Amino acid sequence: MTTGGTLTAPRPTPPPPGTGSPATPPRRESRWIGWGAPLGVTLLALVMRLWDLGSPRSFAFDETYYAKDAWSMLNHGYVRGYVDGADEQVLDGTTTGIWTDDPSMIVHPEVGKWLIALGEKAFGMDPFGWRVSAAVAGALMVLVMCRLARRLTGSTLLGCVAGLLLMLDGVHLVLSRLGLLDIFLALFLLCGVACVVNDRAWFRARLARATGGVPVRGGWGPVRALLWRPWLLTGGVVWGLALGTKWTAAFPLAAFGVLVWLWSAGARRSAGVRRARLRSAVVDGLPAFVHLVGVAAVVYVATWGGWLANAAEYEEALSSTQYTRFVAEGPCVDGETDNEEAETGSWPTASEPDASGPGELVQSLRSLWYYHQDVYTFHAHYLNCSTHTYASDPLGWPLLNRPVGISADTDIPPGTDGCTAPAGSDCLRQVLLIGTPVIWWGGVLALLGAVALWWGRRDWRAQLAVVGALATWLPWLQYDDRPIFFFYAVAMLPFLVLAIVLCLGRLIGPPGASARRRTVGVVVAGSFLVLVVLNAAWFWPLWTDQLLTRGEWIDRMWFARWI
């Protein structure tokens, strides 16, 4: 963060790549490149994610829940249960007669499933249909990454490098090719961070104009001119959509909300305000809280509109004991709990007469609150006693300790399906959700470098990368007693990428640096990018369900824990 000095209007020219504070808009003649190059990277990312998207033609991992939930929401307005064998019937093209009349217990909010439903509406209830929205979201995330990194570094080249790194990572690629929720969460989180960064630049420019570049002599500095913060309002909408996808968005929302306050206080201190943090907490922190958290809360509730419109279905099911509530009481014994899944009576609203007008909305909101209590009970207790083969300790996520086997077709004999394995061996197809090792391991080192830049040079951009990585990773450590999976770390990935790009920019140095330093920096950065491309090409068959001989598959299992 900036300390001391006088806050002045931003200069019109961009800074050298990876150094100093980014400028506000680059020169007009560079706007075509500034948008054209990131759009080119985004188009390439979209092609990679759409290629053979319907393979494997099956419900892969948790697609079995989200794809059917999305179809039910699209056609019935809420999630209904389904009959046994529904997966096979859907894959055979049957989408009618397999849904029950009873509402189903869902354990995540609805935004991500509505987005999956858009793909199913456009392309049908098949693997391509329930995955295409994720592919588009993944490509859009690459575009946001390019533009955010460009704003942070002042370099379109480094911005595109950031987009390429995100595009070539295995976790991001595989999740962009699956009908799961996490890629939507990661997109909304990254958009929320971009809004916060844009607000920082807007706030400082507005403050400079309000003071006329003259240091504040006592007092609070400008207040009224800075109450309305459009980028924070936009961020509140985006953060609300993130929360409406998964509740885990609350942790980074809190972290970046604190950063908004600290950045605002730093700007006021630069303008000459004394005791800036305390004063900024009042004049900036409270309005920022309304813009971010208040708006996010309203948007979050609004995302449950479909559920609220059908709350009576849940209330009726509770009254008739057709809907099972989750409780978890007692210790875990052999992976199970006493009363692991039990009926505990109805919500109070289930026995109340149906209201009308505004009273109906209030009644539905109360039912939604009781429903949230059930969902929280499920996450807080029920999952503690379950196990899974691909569960991993979040402490080891940055080192790729345990990938997730999404799907597998093993024991394909030679001569079948194009298998060229020698006699006595066989082939297989697998979708393995694993990060690109060069990116993740390099990202860990870069994150340490970002910590040094933050503390040693007070670089706020490095602070952003570090805080973002920790806010999307450390909260999971408190849940290491329940099955959690490596693909949750996709929310952490953009901040590792930002740390890498910031370090590469620092290595290359400004244009005024010595030719030797810049040559060495370019060689190191270029070599790293080449290693990433080669590494991604090596793991591509594992990410995209390609045919491999048993020996080729073993060559890609670098550690026993990856199997």
Side-chain angles (χ1 to χ4, degrees):
M1 293 180 294
T2 306
T3 58
T6 301
L7 187 70
T8 58
R11 291 178 295 180
T13 54
T19 63
S21 297
T24 47
R27 294 189 304 271
R28 182 175 299 275
E29 60 267 23
S30 68
R31 290 187 183 275
W32 287 103
I33 298 176
W35 276 102
L39 285 172
V41 176
T42 301
L43 181 60
L44 178 59
L46 181 62
V47 171
M48 291 176 61
R49 281 145 181 78
L50 291 177
W51 179 81
D52 199 21
L53 185 61
S55 178
R57 185 171 173 74
S58 62
F59 287 94
F61 208 71
D62 283 352
E63 284 185 337
T64 185
Y65 306 115
Y66 303 133
K68 296 197 295 289
D69 286 355
W71 184 261
S72 181
M73 290 164 59
L74 180 66
N75 290 274
H76 306 296
Y78 63 98
V79 177
R80 290 186 178 184
Y82 41 83
V83 301
D84 293 338
D87 286 10
E88 291 75 14
Q89 294 187 57
V90 169
L91 292 173
D92 287 339
T94 301
T95 57
T96 58
I98 61 176
W99 311 102
T100 68
D101 294 330
D102 304 327
S104 176
M105 175 72 174
I106 56 174
V107 296
H108 290 297
E110 300 193 333
V111 170
K113 284 167 280 189
W114 279 116
L115 293 175
I116 293 173
L118 290 179
E120 293 173 344
K121 176 68 173 178
F123 297 98
M125 182 60 169
D126 57 30
F128 184 91
W130 65 65
R131 293 170 186 163
V132 67
S133 294
V136 173
L140 288 175
M141 193 173 169
V142 171
L143 177 61
V144 177
M145 184 84 258
C146 290
R147 294 291 300 179
L148 175 60
R150 180 179 184 268
R151 173 171 282 277
L152 292 175
T153 63
S155 167
T156 299
L157 177 61
L158 287 178
C160 289
V161 167
L164 285 169
L165 293 178
L166 189 66
M167 177 185 74
L168 294 173
D169 178 70
V171 175
H172 190 270
L173 177 72
V174 173
L175 286 177
S176 299
R177 294 169 55 84
L178 290 174
L180 304 184
L181 304 180
D182 297 86
I183 195 65
F184 304 115
L185 172 66
L187 171 62
F188 291 134
L189 288 181
L190 189 60
C191 288
V193 172
C195 288
V196 167
V197 169
N198 288 343
D199 171 77
R200 181 185 184 276
W202 180 92
F203 184 89
R204 294 174 68 84
R206 187 69 174 260
L207 182 59
R209 288 196 298 268
T211 60
V214 178
V216 176
R217 302 300 182 185
W220 300 70
V223 175
R224 183 177 300 178
L226 298 168
L227 290 177
W228 169 250
R229 300 173 70 166
W231 277 111
L232 280 191
L233 180 66
T234 305
V237 174
V238 175
W239 285 105
L241 293 174
L243 288 167
T245 304
K246 277 193 169 183
W247 289 352
T248 49
F251 296 110
L253 172 58
F256 281 99
V258 172
L259 280 188
V260 167
W261 162 51
L262 293 177
W263 289 342
S264 300
R268 288 190 179 273
R269 185 170 56 249
S270 297
V273 175
R274 295 174 180 247
R275 295 191 296 275
R277 287 188 179 179
L278 180 59
R279 288 175 168 171
S280 181
V282 177
V283 299
D284 301 321
L286 294 179
F289 182 86
V290 173
H291 281 76
L292 275 179
V293 180
V295 172
V298 172
V299 170
Y300 173 77
V301 174
T303 65
W304 286 91
W307 194 99
L308 291 170
N310 294 277
E313 301 293 338
Y314 285 86
E315 295 164 2
E316 180 181 352
L318 277 167
S319 300
S320 61
T321 69
Q322 294 174 328
Y323 170 81
T324 301
R325 299 181 63 192
F326 282 95
V327 298
E329 300 175 356
C332 294
V333 178
D334 297 329
E336 297 182 356
T337 58
D338 297 335
N339 300 323
E340 179 183 36
E341 187 177 28
E343 194 138 357
T344 60
S346 299
W347 304 329
T349 51
S351 57
E352 295 175 355
D354 289 339
S356 60
E360 182 179 7
L361 176 60
V362 173
Q363 189 178 52
S364 296
L365 287 171
R366 290 175 59 213
S367 293
L368 182 63
W369 171 253
Y370 298 130
Y371 188 88
H372 274 59
Q373 291 180 330
D374 287 356
V375 174
Y376 177 80
T377 299
F378 172 82
H379 284 292
H381 300 287
Y382 179 74
L383 290 180
N384 289 346
C385 295
S386 58
T387 59
H388 198 284
T389 302
Y390 291 111
S392 60
D393 185 347
L395 190 63
W397 285 352
L399 300 179
L400 308 181
N401 62 331
R402 180 64 171 159
V404 180
I406 298 297
S407 68
D409 181 10
T410 59
D411 303 323
I412 301 174
T416 302
D417 194 23
C419 177
T420 58
S425 184
D426 58 12
C427 296
L428 55 83
R429 296 178 184 272
Q430 182 183 29
V431 176
L432 186 68
L433 193 147
I434 185 172
T436 305
V438 174
I439 294 176
W440 283 82
W441 298 341
V444 171
L445 296 177
L447 201 61
L448 296 176
V451 171
L453 288 174
W454 175 15
W455 288 102
R457 295 181 176 270
R458 296 296 187 265
D459 190 331
W460 70 272
R461 301 163 307 156
Q463 177 193 44
L464 181 146
V466 173
V467 170
L470 296 182
T472 51
W473 175 44
L474 292 184
W476 288 107
L477 299 183
Q478 63 183 320
Y479 302 117
D480 60 358
D481 59 343
R482 52 175 278 191
I484 48 181
F485 305 98
F486 171 59
F487 59 78
Y488 299 163
V490 69
M492 178 186 181
L493 174 63
F495 304 103
L496 295 181
V497 170
L498 285 177
I500 290 172
V501 169
L502 291 174
C503 287
L504 292 180
R506 185 66 63 173
L507 281 174
I508 295 172
S514 67
R516 179 177 180 180
R517 174 186 170 177
R518 288 182 61 81
T519 299
V520 171
V522 169
V523 169
V524 171
S527 299
F528 178 81
L529 194 57
V530 169
L531 286 176
V532 169
V533 173
L534 294 175
N535 202 190
W538 180 248
F539 284 98
W540 174 265
L542 281 178
W543 297 334
T544 56
D545 199 44
Q546 301 301 297
L547 187 71
L548 291 171
T549 66
R550 182 71 57 174
E552 291 170 337
W553 179 78
I554 290 294
D555 289 341
R556 289 162 173 80
M557 297 294 105
W558 292 356
F559 303 97
R561 63 179 181 271
W562 287 6
I563 298 177

